Amino acid sequence: MTESRVYVSDDNRGIKLIKLFRFFYIAGWAPFSVFFPVYLVERGMSLAQVGIIMAIPVIIGIFTSIMWSSFSDAIGRRKPFLIQSSILMALFTFAITLISSFEGFLVLGFFKAIFIPLAEGLIVTSLFRLSDYGGRATAYSGFAIWGSVGWASANAFAGVAAWFFGTTAVFYFSSLLFVVATIVFLRAPEPREIEEVHKTSTRSSVRPRIIMNYFAPIRELLTNKKMVILLLASLPLFVAINAASRFFPIYLEYSGASPIIIGLAFTFPSIIEIPVFLHAGKLSDKIGARKPLLIFSAAVYSLFFFLVLLTSNPVLLLLIHSLLTPFAWAPLITGSSTLVSEIVPRDKWVTGQNLFTIWLWYICGIIGPLIGGFTSEAWGLPIMFAIASVFAVVSGVFFRGIREK
């Protein structure tokens, strides 16, 4: 049985609009993710409650994210789901300003988890379908810097807005950016894959089964030993990243940092990581391996968490975060996203990328905030960062056992 594929799309226009969409989508996400924990504390939530508010909706999102990604793979389209994601994120970030109770935040998170598809896997798949295999890491790193620029500029503006108008203004700003992202992507073409497949091809018979049973693609991917090893090896590091990302803004505020300082703490790293992204992708393609990027990232994250627990000076925390996290995050996400595209079948790319995203931000997004919240409540934030540092070292050791191609 033979199969031929022809890829038809306006490549240049499509890639430009994908990058522009990522810019505005990440720009909208950035102020929300940085200032939402601070906003919760301002509304009277304890650190343990912050952890619960972050974790509980994620449990629901695990199942719904699998559903949306499976639907996307089944129909071979990504644009409708990305538009759905950006529109509903605009409504969600606006609705945050109307809530002030613990129960209210949980209910709002419940609706977010059910109806908002994960954008990352969808947009990365759109990019990879327009990219050559040999330069995939380079293509990803060039694409990722648009998110870095969006993250940096939005957080800088959000910090100033929070200083002058209060934290609530941050979420109005995020909502506006998601609206712009939606408008941009409405103009984007859908990268289509036109296939001439033999009539007895199993793919056509599999599609109805995927729609009826959206867990089937996940079960298939979890029989991929390379994928399973990658997920298990990354577990401790991803738990540490989720714990630290939720509570570092709170740690900054406790240290006496102003909203402007908090915004800058997440602006400077995004600017610095732009050349890091470009060099990480090119270096990875040159040596033909992704594992070295993962090991290096784990080592830098461990050092970052360790240095944070040693000080509560806001200026030092700003410097530590700005100088180290670009060299941790850029290699990690470049190496891992590219590796997933190389160990997962092409017709399961959306599901593969979203499975990895679910693992990073959902599975570990449950464990991390809960561990971080209850540990910080019991022993203080510095102890939480000490545990995170140890977790990063453990993943660095486990990454050595990853098998690539």
Side-chain angles (χ1 to χ4, degrees), residues 63-320:
F63 304 100
T64 56
S65 296
I66 293 170
M67 177 185 68
W68 292 120
S69 61
S70 296
F71 286 173
S72 174
D73 275 334
I75 68 175
R77 299 191 67 190
R78 290 151 294 280
K79 182 176 179 178
F81 302 100
L82 284 168
I83 292 173
Q84 176 184 341
S85 178
S86 57
I87 289 175
L88 294 183
M89 277 301 300
L91 295 175
F92 169 74
T93 48
F94 178 80
I96 286 174
T97 64
L98 308 177
I99 305 296
S100 59
S101 68
F102 175 69
E103 296 78 11
F105 285 119
L106 285 182
V107 171
L108 187 61
F110 175 84
F111 284 102
K112 171 183 177 290
I114 290 179
F115 296 109
I116 300 182
L118 275 176
E120 186 66 15
L122 293 163
I123 195 168
V124 169
T125 297
S126 297
L127 173 78
F128 281 162
R129 285 195 181 279
L130 300 175
S131 305
D132 294 330
Y133 179 86
R136 195 169 291 159
T138 302
Y140 179 84
S141 60
F143 153 81
I145 63 174
W146 285 77
S148 300
V149 175
W151 181 281
S153 54
N155 274 323
F157 186 89
V160 175
W163 175 262
F164 285 103
F165 305 108
T167 310
T168 304
V170 170
F171 303 105
Y172 295 139
F173 178 51
S174 285
S175 182
L176 176 62
L177 290 169
F178 283 120
V179 170
V180 175
T182 303
I183 294 171
V184 166
F185 209 65
L186 284 171
R187 301 175 58 245
E190 174 77 73
R192 293 188 178 274
E193 186 176 70
I194 300 175
E195 302 181 0
E196 297 177 4
V197 185
H198 194 278
K199 291 183 180 181
T200 60
S201 170
T202 59
R203 182 174 178 183
S204 60
S205 63
V206 168
R207 283 189 174 183
R209 178 176 61 82
I210 292 177
I211 297 175
M212 296 301 296
N213 184 1
Y214 55 75
F215 287 107
I218 297 297
R219 289 200 299 267
E220 292 176 20
L221 290 179
L222 290 179
T223 62
N224 184 325
K225 292 183 179 179
K226 293 179 181 179
M227 187 73 176
V228 171
I229 291 172
L230 173 62
L231 295 178
L232 293 178
S234 62
L235 175 64
L237 177 59
F238 289 174
V239 168
I241 291 173
N242 275 278
S245 65
R246 299 303 188 272
F247 291 96
F248 185 66
I250 298 175
Y251 191 55
L252 281 169
E253 187 180 50
Y254 282 1
S255 72
S258 67
I260 293 179
I261 292 294
I262 294 174
L264 291 177
F266 291 88
T267 298
F268 292 153
S270 299
I271 296 172
I272 296 172
E273 75 184 14
I274 292 173
V276 180
F277 262 122
L278 294 174
H279 285 85
K282 291 178 181 178
L283 177 62
S284 181
D285 282 335
K286 184 177 181 179
I287 65 178
R290 320 304 176 190
K291 185 164 67 173
L293 296 182
L294 306 183
I295 296 172
F296 177 78
S297 171
V300 178
Y301 265 121
S302 180
L303 176 61
F304 164 63
F305 298 143
F306 178 74
L307 292 178
V308 166
L309 72 90
L310 297 180
T311 182
S312 60
N313 184 292
V315 176
L316 288 178
L317 291 172
L318 170 65
L319 291 175
I320 292 169

